[in-house]
Amino acid sequence: MKLSVVSGGLETVKAPAIAVAVTEDQLVRLPAKVRALLEDVTFKAKAKELAAVPAFGKLPAKWLIVVGLGPAREVTAETIRRAAAAAAKTARGKQLSGTAFAVVGGQVDGARLGQAVAEGVLLGLYRFQQYKTGLKTDEKHELTEFRLVVARAADRVGAARGLARGETIAEAVNFARGLINQPANVATPTYLAQQAQAMARTLHLRCRVLSRPEARRLHMGAFLSVAAGSVQEPKFIILEHNPKGRRTVVFAGKGITFDTGGISIKPSEGMDRMKYDMAGGAAVLGALRAAAALRLPFHIVGLVAATENMPGGSATRPGDVVRAHNGKTIEILNTDAEGRLVLADALAYAKRFKPQAVVDLATLTGACVVALGSEAIGLMGTDAALARRLRQAGEATGERVWELPLWDEYLEGVKGEVADVKNIGPRGEAGAIMGAAFLKHFVDGYPWVHLDIAGTAWAERERGYHAKGATGVGVRLLVQMLEDWAQDQGTASR
Ligand code: BES
Ligand code: MN
Ligand code: ZN
């Protein structure tokens, strides 16, 4: 896909499709030729409204596509992302090769506009069809050119910069989506480690991969207890960007490449979806990829605790006791609460980097899906400032987070009977919080936030710029948080 910016009147640009995203108040101000084409359709520019009309003979294009942005004051980067996605998908659906796209109305301009457009287009056009043989030409058709039209020549440079940024970020999101959408017989822990290593080579990241023997030497008993029932080798992946950076941030991802539940086995209905249980790990890999490409000014450590959760003959039994990397003992009462076990060792391991912030991402609990559905990431943690940074990044990216409490009283819920802690809380009570309460026992000496992405990492149906399947949630959130943080530092030191 070739993304570019041109300036001028949109009715003068020559392209297979001319697309206009317009606010309600600006509809009457569109160029006369465009308005004339819309005379026979009912188009009020309401939010999400879309119309496509043949334009041949009236505009230097085959089609005119119009997307409604709703009232001007409600236009945000998210609205633009969705509009750009809708325009690109419509043009592709009409078997066109390219589109010129303009936004008329609203207050989003320059770099933010360019970034939102690139993200909307590239995220919107993503599809996972690697395993489909015999696709028809219309199913294979790709849109190859997308030109953003800005009214003023002075806006071109800013928009182009935003476009490039958005492209880098969207590619990282689509990379994460690809890993998640891969079936679990392909995306094994070994495969994820290979992907991390390949990425490290091209982007000059430092990469180390710990296998079973090294994890044993590091006393990662919690991580290894989950891997015990699988013939797939577990891999604990460590990626580092800019190791000499002044500030260190650790991102830790749950990388369960398939979650059967282990001996506490899950019902078979819908179990296929549990290939997405490594979405936290994929988000970490995607964030590192974008951070390296954008040269973000932090030392960023990515940890992915990758393993399957299988019920093999050597699998962990309910009631087994294991010892984590930090020395704490865990009573495993339910082998299906495995995400918190692998993250326990990752969070304990994070301490050695003396980080200024640690964020973990995990498809941790069904309870989080019950609480927040697919509209928000569950946030819990120990640091209000870090939580605020993530909340703000959530508003900017559309990957919204919502905080649940993590008061000390909740820690009682995971106190062990025969060991220090147990891996489940009281039945039917605060399930998402119990996951975080357990994790908190392995957090030591750094500000920490846990993000439960169980409800947001997978889209049950196509929606906006998300295709059905993996959303790649978390990548844009983490990158945005770091960019804003770097910005704050810049202003503080000036
Ligand atoms: N990967 C699941 C969480 C999950 C469940 C995500 C359903 C999306 C949809 C996790 O490993 C799990 O099984 N959690 C258990 C915890 C329980 C045993 C305390 C759950 O949520 O049921
Ligand atoms: Mn589970
Ligand atoms: Zn799981």
Side-chain angles (χ1 to χ4, degrees):
M1 163 69 71
K2 197 175 164 298
L3 295 162
S4 60
V5 188
V6 289
S7 60
L10 72 104
E11 75 284 10
T12 64
V13 182
K14 199 167 169 291
I18 290 179
V20 196
V22 60
T23 55
E24 287 168 6
D25 62 303
Q26 294 296 312
L27 191 52
V28 292
R29 306 238 175 85
L30 288 178
K33 284 182 187 169
V34 173
R35 267 183 297 136
L37 280 166
L38 292 174
E39 252 162 27
D40 297 334
V41 292
T42 51
F43 179 78
K44 303 248 164 40
K46 298 254 174 273
K48 294 181 194 164
E49 204 182 341
L50 186 137
V53 289
F56 202 64
K58 309 230 169 69
L59 284 172
K62 290 201 188 99
W63 287 87
L64 169 69
I65 299 165
V66 281
V67 188
L69 291 174
R73 62 176 186 286
E74 284 169 24
V75 175
T76 61
E78 180 68 0
T79 331
I80 307 281
R81 259 177 231 117
R82 291 183 189 168
K89 281 197 276 187
T90 304
R92 182 176 68 185
K94 304 226 170 278
Q95 313 285 301
L96 304 173
S97 60
T99 306
F101 176 80
V103 174
V104 180
Q107 293 291 325
V108 182
D109 50 31
R112 287 214 310 139
L113 175 74
Q115 183 175 340
V117 168
E119 289 172 351
V121 171
L122 297 174
L123 296 176
L125 291 176
Y126 172 86
R127 49 193 172 180
F128 184 74
Q129 48 189 25
Q130 186 188 337
Y131 298 110
K132 292 271 198 180
T133 66
L135 283 177
K136 299 193 202 77
T137 357
D138 60 310
E139 294 166 318
K140 277 191 290 200
H141 180 81
E142 298 281 4
L143 195 72
T144 52
E145 206 184 345
F146 199 95
R147 279 195 286 168
L148 173 60
V149 184
V150 293
R152 293 175 304 163
D155 291 337
R156 248 176 54 197
V157 177
R161 197 176 304 134
L163 218 51
R165 223 181 175 70
E167 183 171 18
T168 301
I169 294 169
E171 275 169 2
V173 176
N174 286 341
F175 168 70
R177 287 172 167 183
L179 296 176
I180 300 163
N181 283 329
Q182 284 293 346
N185 62 326
V186 174
T188 60
T190 302
Y191 175 91
L192 291 185
Q194 284 164 349
Q195 291 290 314
Q197 262 152 347
M199 182 175 107
R201 274 191 297 274
T202 43
L203 288 163
H204 308 292
L205 292 155
R206 191 184 279 173
C207 184
R208 270 188 72 202
V209 177
L210 312 178
S211 296
R212 235 186 269 262
E214 291 104 323
R216 227 177 259 135
R217 242 171 278 139
L218 285 162
H219 306 286
M220 293 182 163
F223 173 57
L224 289 170
S225 76
V226 178
S230 170
V231 295
Q232 290 293 336
E233 275 295 306
K235 301 287 174 185
F236 191 93
I237 304 165
I238 307 152
L239 273 173
E240 281 180 80
H241 160 69
N242 186 24
K244 296 204 176 71
R246 210 163 48 84
R247 272 168 198 258
T248 300
V249 175
V250 176
F251 297 144
K254 170 177 174 182
I256 302 296
T257 58
F258 195 79
D259 183 10
T260 65
I263 297 301
S264 313
I265 200 158
K266 288 182 180 296
S268 55
E269 170 88 28
M271 202 202 272
D272 57 288
R273 226 212 321 160
M274 281 299 133
K275 70 174 184 181
Y276 96 121
D277 216 18
M278 35 61 80
V284 169
L285 296 183
L288 264 286
R289 178 174 156 145
L294 297 169
R295 297 174 202 269
L296 296 187
F298 292 87
H299 170 211
I300 309 172
V301 182
L303 303 176
V304 182
T307 172
E308 281 187 326
N309 186 22
M310 297 286 279
S314 52
T316 299
R317 294 152 288 257
D320 285 1
V321 174
V322 299
R323 190 184 301 272
H325 179 66
N326 68 348
K328 283 200 187 177
T329 57
I330 305 166
E331 204 177 340
I332 300 175
L333 293 182
N334 188 322
T335 64
D336 197 10
E338 85 297 340
R340 61 198 73 183
L341 294 172
V342 306
L343 282 177
D345 277 336
L347 290 171
Y349 188 81
K351 188 181 183 188
R352 66 172 57 208
F353 298 101
K354 303 187 173 62
Q356 270 73 53
V358 175
V359 180
D360 79 70
L361 298 95
T363 47
L364 206 71
T365 64
C368 187
V369 190
V370 173
L372 301 172
S374 56
E375 290 306 327
I377 297 167
L379 179 152
M380 289 142 272
T382 58
D383 191 78
L386 183 57
R388 179 178 46 78
R389 289 187 187 290
L390 286 160
R391 197 156 40 238
Q392 280 167 359
E395 295 301 326
T397 56
E399 298 190 334
R400 291 183 291 183
V401 303
W402 197 260
E403 185 163 9
L404 300 174
L406 190 54
W407 299 311
D408 285 344
E409 286 78 358
Y410 285 115
L411 301 186
E412 292 295 312
V414 290
K415 244 171 105 175
E417 316 270 332
V418 302
D420 298 334
V421 288
K422 55 182 181 188
N423 78 330
I424 53 171
R427 196 188 173 85
E429 280 184 45
I433 297 173
M434 284 304 140
F438 177 88
L439 293 177
K440 194 174 170 201
H441 281 97
F442 302 89
V443 170
D444 183 20
Y446 51 75
W448 163 71
V449 159
H450 158 64
L451 300 175
D452 195 329
I453 58 170
T456 47
W458 189 264
E460 278 304 325
R461 52 190 175 80
E462 178 178 350
R463 203 164 137 231
Y465 48 80
H466 290 311
K468 180 177 172 166
T471 61
V473 76
V475 176
R476 290 190 299 118
L477 180 73
L478 295 178
V479 170
Q480 183 73 40
M481 190 222 17
L482 290 178
E483 284 184 328
D484 293 348
W485 195 347
Q487 211 67 50
D488 292 0
Q489 280 177 33
T491 26
S493 62
R494 240 182 272 139

